[in-house]
Structures are given as structure tokens and as C-alpha cells.
Amino acid sequence: MARKRKETTEILIEMGVLKPPSAKQAEELAQKNRKSVEETLVEGKFATEEDVTKALAIQNDMEYIDLDKSMLAATNFELIPMDLIKKHQVLPISKQNGKLRIVIGDPMDIETLDALQFRLGVKLETCLAVKSKIKHHIERMFSEESKSIDEAVRQLTLDRGQSIDVKPEGGGTGDDAPIIKLVTAIISEAVRSRASDIHVEPMKDRVRVRYRIDGVCMQRDNIQKRMQSPVIARIKIMAGMDIAEKRLPQDGRIKMLIDNAPIDFRVSTLPGYQGESVVLRILRPDNVKIGVQAMGFEEDDYAKFKRIISRPNGIFLVTGPTGSGKTTTLYGALQELNKPDRKIITAEDPVEYNFPGINQCQVKEQIGLSFAKILRSMLRQAPNIILVGEIRDLEVAEVAIQAALTGHLVFSTLHTNDAPSAITRLIDMGVKPFLVASSIQAIMAQRLIRTLCKECKQPDPDPDRRLLALLGFADRELQGKPIYRAVGCPACSNSGYRGRKGIFEMMLMNNEVRELAFKRAPTNQIRKAARASGMKSLLDDGKVKILNGTTTPQEIARVTQAEGILVDQ
């Protein structure tokens, strides 16, 4: 027999918000005025709008979200067209596993949900929030009213709940000081939010500000279009760029003290149709000093890694797409090897972090100082260990291999999807197969996965069996082991994830793999031989992270792009 649904007034009585006589009075008043009980409770001040919304969430078995406590950056306005957000007063949060998670204000408005589902073509997962707060949030994000710069700065300060104490450089006054405060506020909040990048993107009617947190872009602010030029000019001044040059890309650096910690920013501008787009890459020295094992290595992979970097010569390649943590891994290796009895030289483009005891050279193509030229010169400096930021072409590859064959340990990166593909890539560049086979000691592919928030992660009572099967889990592997899911709380900006770790694919060069490389064997044969000798794939390492509660099946499927799986962020 179906359980009878409790009335809103009953739930409010259980919550201690209403007394039975007040509940009866509200019900009679609602009937008399032909209004809903919920509307009457708020209008008659029997209960607050927040209490009534919480009761409705319990009544309809929905998650309640307090928009005052949750970071507004968790809202992703790109998931739903702007006209639908304004018309239906809904807030999109995230899209995962083919479902769109949205915040609504009325759980009984089935017509709106049907219209949204039809228009967007996706299944909806609804959460509940106070109607007036949803409206305020939408108005704030899409306001087209003319605001003064001072009001924009004040809004930023109030939203963050913290004061901004800025001393304008050069004693800026008048219109300059608010712009300085606004840019400083954006940068400071990004650092405190653990962002890795700040994106300032001019659009037709506004300037969009987004932070990349744990590898995912989150919209934070919309700045008035008329503030575009002064904001970008301010960033360019801070980065030491030419503010008059708007036709060509530029690069620069900013050094700032935020919360008494020195932070470096790598700044890049790119001319676009609506104006210059600016990206600030946040460089935190502490990120590369956490130790190699803390990056996410399992015990067996960590033991292999230690053995590889302890070898006297040969090449160790780290592969993966941009933003997969390759540089951080190599810096971690150099930190372990940085001893007084070893000479270490690096060739980088650009030098992101400075380390005492390591000779770091920056590539400057405009004056002819290329990777290849630095490499040739550094061999005359008698180093033990060499780091080449990236093998980009045949010339760099040949010099790096020559260094490895003459007794140097060489670290470098390469852009390939997995470890076995690196061998094929080098041969395709023009490197002779016997040089590839003889010089490379190991190749490691890696990706960064978001780790579950420790404050809110929960075992999933009904994990997606189809997804687990596609990831290659056998029933015996899952017996007695909980699969965790992302929930969301204020600590993780309602994303369910906080922080990132690596998943790795470590391929050691043995006789069989060297023979295949020498014979120009295709990648699938090299992979098969490597797997037979004990190589774990990225997916295998990801499965370990799922079973030990580090992350979710959805995250591993998204990052590894497992065959047959299409997972939305």
C-alpha cells in the first residue's frame, strides 16, 4: 500500500516551526481566500519562505539547496539558454551521465519541467530552493541595468563575505581605484577558491569571468561591457604588457602577495572578435612540492617510478594532453633528485616555478634561443640530469636521445593519448627506430581526475551497473566494496568534488617492447606486449581509485573516455 504523503503543515509542525492551532488557522484562511496553503503560510507570516521551501523539499523527497551558503560559482549558466533561465526561473548546476541537475522553486510546476525537458532533450534532476533567492540570483547574474564600477566592486565584496584592502599602485585615484579593486578582488577570490586559471572573456553584451576549479570551468561574474577596456588594461599593466597593442597576442607575468603567500600568474592575451581575451594561469609553488607519491601513485607504480628516476641514463617520457599534470610530475621527480652531488639543467617554455639548486633556462624563440640550441649548450655544462620541457620536433628529439646515449638522464614530455603511442609518435617524427628502442627507459601516460569531497561523499545505494560493466568491472570485484557518489556541499561548491589526483599508465621498456619498436610495430601490438608484461592502463588505475573511494565511475569514464561510454561533465 502506498504511503500517504504528509501535508506541508504537518511537516512544519514536526520541524517545530508551526503549532497545530496556527496550522489549522492557515489552512482555513487558504480555503477562504482560494490560495494555496504554502502561499498563505508565507503571506500570513505563519512561517518563512525558507521554512516552507524546506518542508516542500521533504514532502517531495527532493534535495534542498540554500543559495546563501552555497558558492554561486557552482551555477553553470551555459547549460541552459539564457531565455529559458529567465522565463522559467531555474538555475542549472551540472550535467552528468546524461542528466541535467537544476534548481527550481516550485516542485508542483510540472508544466515548466515538461517544457524544459522537451526543449533541452535531456532528463532533469531537480533540487529545490527559495523562489525569491533564485530570482535574485538570476537578476544578479544577468542584470542589464547600468551599474557604477563602485557598485560592482561592492557587490563582489559583499558576495564573498570578506573585506578587500587594496593599496592602488602609484596612488590611483578617481576612476582608477575601483578598477584596481575589482581586478584585485577577482584575482584574490580565484586563488582562495583553489582555481588554476582565470578566464576574462569579452562577449557581445558583457565580459564573462570564469574560474577553472579542479579542471572544470565555472562561471563567476558578468562584468559590464563598458568596463571591458579598463579591466583588461589593468591586467596588462600588472603583467608588464603593452596596453596599446591590441592586435597581437602577448604574454606576461604577475607576482602578488595573497593572504601573505607569494603567488605567480602567467598571463596570456589573445585578440578576438569581441575584444582581447585574457587568461591568468595561477602558479602555486607548493603544488609541485607535495611529493611524488601524494600525486596519486599506487604503491606498485610508485616503486617503478622511483626505480626509473634513479637510473644513471636514458629517457623518461611523460605523456598526456595539456593540463594533465605532466610538468608537475617531472618537477616532483627533480625535487627528489635535487641533491648537492648532482647537476640538473632544464630547458623550459616558459619557466613556471623556480627551484634552488637547479639551473633553469627559458626558451626565447624571438632571439633564436630554441629548445635544440639550449640542449646542445647544456651538454657542454656537464649535467647529470636534463629536463626538456617538451619534445616538439625531430631536432629536439635527436639531441635529447643523443644526450641519453652519452650518459645523461633525460626527462621530457610528449603529447600523446597513452604510453605505447609515444613510440609511434617519435618514429613518425623521423627518429630512427633503433635510437628510440635503445634510448627510452620508460614512458608514463597520465590524466588528472577530480577526487570526491571528504565532507559530503556517500556510498551510492544504486550505482549505474551498465556504466560499471562498461568500465570493465566484474561482479566479483564489486562484492562488499561500496561505490561512492558525488553529493555536493558548501565546502566543494556543490560539485561533490574537491581536489585532483593523477591516474597513471606506466610502460617499462623490456626486450620485447624494444624489439617491436625496432620493427616499427603498430601501437596496438606494443600495447598488447606492454600489458602482457604487467602494464596497468589508465582505466585500470582509475578502477583502483573507484574501489578505494577516491573518485566516481562517472569521473573515470569522463577522463579516460572509455570505449562505448559518453559521459557529460
Side-chain angles (χ1 to χ4, degrees):
M1 186 176 175
R3 182 170 59 89
K4 184 184 175 184
R5 195 171 77 157
K6 289 183 179 180
E7 296 294 334
T8 312
T9 48
E10 287 181 71
I11 298 168
L12 287 168
I13 290 169
E14 290 175 3
M15 288 168 61
V17 174
L18 270 184
K19 299 289 184 188
S22 300
K24 188 177 179 183
Q25 185 184 350
E27 287 169 352
E28 289 173 353
L29 201 58
Q31 194 172 7
K32 180 183 175 183
N33 295 331
R34 294 184 179 180
K35 289 186 175 181
S36 69
V37 174
E38 291 77 20
E39 199 176 352
T40 305
L41 284 166
V42 176
E43 286 180 358
K45 297 186 179 177
F46 294 98
T48 65
E49 189 182 5
E50 190 169 352
D51 287 332
V52 171
T53 307
K54 285 179 180 177
L56 283 171
I58 294 168
Q59 184 187 62
N60 293 279
D61 195 22
M62 294 170 69
E63 182 187 350
Y64 172 78
I65 289 183
D66 187 343
L67 291 175
D68 285 339
K69 291 182 180 177
S70 62
M71 263 191 71
L72 300 183
T75 306
N76 191 344
F77 281 92
E78 293 184 345
L79 294 173
I80 297 181
M82 196 186 299
D83 63 313
L84 292 183
I85 291 173
K86 290 179 179 178
K87 180 181 177 181
H88 298 297
Q89 294 289 291
V90 295
L91 293 175
I93 296 179
S94 62
K95 192 177 180 184
Q96 285 188 332
N97 205 19
K99 286 184 179 178
L100 179 64
R101 193 162 177 250
I102 62 171
V103 179
I104 60 173
D106 184 358
M108 303 310 292
D109 190 358
I110 306 300
E111 190 178 334
T112 291
L113 296 177
D114 285 344
L116 278 172
Q117 193 156 313
F118 176 76
R119 172 86 181 265
L120 300 170
V122 293
K123 290 183 179 179
L124 299 178
E125 184 181 315
T126 52
C127 308
L128 205 60
V130 176
K131 266 187 184 179
S132 59
K133 290 182 181 179
I134 293 174
K135 185 180 178 183
H136 170 73
H137 186 25
I138 291 170
E139 284 175 352
R140 181 191 169 279
M141 295 306 288
F142 293 123
S143 174
E144 292 176 2
E145 297 170 6
S146 180
K147 291 183 180 178
S148 70
I149 296 172
D150 292 282
E151 283 176 329
V153 175
R154 183 178 59 81
Q155 188 65 55
L156 277 167
T157 310
L158 292 174
D159 282 351
R160 290 146 183 74
Q162 56 200 12
S163 62
I164 300 170
D165 182 17
V166 180
K167 292 180 181 177
E169 293 175 15
T173 57
D175 290 339
D176 290 338
I179 287 294
I180 291 170
K181 288 183 179 181
L182 175 57
V183 172
T184 305
I186 290 170
I187 292 173
S188 300
E189 192 208 33
V191 172
R192 291 171 187 138
S193 300
R194 304 178 298 104
S196 59
D197 305 273
I198 305 168
H199 298 260
V200 181
E201 303 162 319
M203 304 184 82
K204 185 178 180 180
D205 57 348
R206 65 191 191 280
V207 179
R208 181 172 65 180
V209 177
R210 295 193 292 174
Y211 301 156
R212 189 182 293 277
I213 300 173
D214 294 334
V216 178
C217 277
M218 295 182 175
Q219 183 159 315
R220 182 58 187 93
D221 286 294
N222 282 308
I223 299 173
Q224 293 291 313
K225 184 70 176 176
R226 64 188 177 84
M227 294 161 66
Q228 176 178 318
S229 294
V231 165
I232 291 173
R234 172 60 187 162
I235 295 171
K236 288 169 81 171
I237 289 168
M238 293 171 75
M241 296 178 181
D242 181 359
I243 62 170
E245 181 56 77
K246 300 179 181 179
R247 302 165 301 166
L248 297 171
Q250 294 188 68
D251 293 301
R253 288 183 86 104
I254 298 173
K255 290 182 183 290
M256 284 181 69
L257 202 66
I258 297 175
D259 297 336
N260 294 319
I263 306 290
D264 276 14
F265 301 84
R266 199 173 81 206
V267 186
S268 169
T269 65
L270 182 69
Y273 184 69
Q274 301 293 348
E276 288 178 287
S277 170
V278 183
V279 176
L280 292 85
R281 180 83 182 270
I282 302 172
L283 306 174
R284 296 179 174 86
D286 292 342
N287 284 6
V288 292
K289 296 177 183 177
I290 58 172
V292 173
Q293 195 167 16
M295 294 174 189
F297 281 106
E298 300 300 324
E299 286 297 331
D300 55 342
D301 280 340
Y302 181 59
K304 289 177 187 175
F305 186 84
K306 290 276 286 183
R307 285 200 303 273
I308 292 161
I309 66 173
S310 300
R311 291 180 180 179
N313 57 47
I315 295 179
F316 176 44
L317 286 176
V318 180
T319 76
T322 303
S324 59
K326 301 186 297 294
T327 305
T328 304
T329 299
L330 290 180
Y331 275 142
L334 292 185
Q335 282 290 102
E336 294 207 6
L337 297 171
N338 189 13
K339 302 287 191 301
D341 61 337
R342 296 189 181 105
K343 177 156 184 173
I344 302 172
I345 305 181
T346 73
E348 302 170 61
D349 184 20
V351 173
E352 292 189 355
Y353 302 99
N354 294 308
F355 293 100
I358 296 177
N359 300 275
Q360 295 173 270
C361 304
Q362 178 151 329
V363 172
K364 293 180 182 175
E365 295 284 358
Q366 62 270 29
I367 61 169
L369 191 61
S370 63
F371 271 121
K373 194 162 189 176
I374 293 173
L375 261 173
R376 288 196 180 91
S377 299
M378 70 168 60
L379 291 175
R380 294 194 285 271
Q381 297 275 313
N384 302 101
I385 298 161
I386 294 168
L387 184 145
V388 184
E390 183 186 342
I391 293 179
R392 295 179 178 174
D393 52 40
L394 176 60
E395 188 180 12
V396 176
E398 285 181 335
V399 180
I401 286 170
Q402 195 62 41
L405 294 174
T406 53
H408 302 88
L409 182 61
V410 180
F411 295 122
S412 192
T413 68
L414 200 63
H415 287 285
T416 63
N417 288 328
D418 57 14
S421 300
I423 291 174
T424 312
R425 174 88 178 92
L426 286 170
I427 293 171
D428 287 344
M429 272 185 189
V431 180
K432 293 180 175 61
F434 77 90
L435 290 175
V436 174
S438 57
S439 62
I440 294 176
Q441 298 290 347
I443 303 167
M444 185 176 77
Q446 71 176 68
R447 300 287 189 279
L448 290 178
I449 55 162
R450 292 181 293 172
T451 55
L452 283 163
C453 173
K454 293 177 181 178
E455 300 293 324
C456 65
K457 75 173 187 179
Q458 293 177 3
D460 192 343
D462 185 27
D464 188 336
R465 293 288 166 180
R466 177 182 168 275
L467 181 60
L468 291 171
L470 287 168
L471 288 171
F473 281 104
D475 289 340
R476 66 179 183 279
E477 292 180 275
L478 300 171
Q479 287 176 359
K481 293 183 179 177
I483 303 296
Y484 286 84
R485 65 188 178 97
V487 179
C489 67
C492 60
S493 308
N494 280 324
S495 68
Y497 300 94
R498 185 177 173 87
R500 288 192 292 175
K501 283 194 173 181
I503 54 173
F504 304 93
E505 179 178 272
M506 185 84 71
M507 187 178 84
L508 300 178
M509 295 290 282
N510 56 27
N511 290 336
E512 187 180 357
V513 176
R514 290 186 200 280
E515 185 69 25
L516 288 169
F518 182 73
K519 292 178 178 177
R520 296 176 181 260
T523 303
N524 60 342
Q525 285 187 29
I526 297 171
R527 185 183 295 110
K528 188 177 179 181
R531 292 294 299 272
S533 62
M535 181 187 81
K536 273 193 313 188
S537 68
L538 289 167
L539 185 56
D540 292 335
D541 197 29
K543 286 164 67 177
V544 174
K545 302 287 194 295
I546 292 169
L547 292 174
N548 63 23
T550 301
T551 191
T552 62
Q554 288 79 7
E555 180 67 6
I556 295 299
R558 179 182 73 86
V559 172
T560 60
Q561 290 294 298
E563 191 174 346
I565 302 175
L566 183 62
V567 177
D568 297 306
Q569 283 190 0

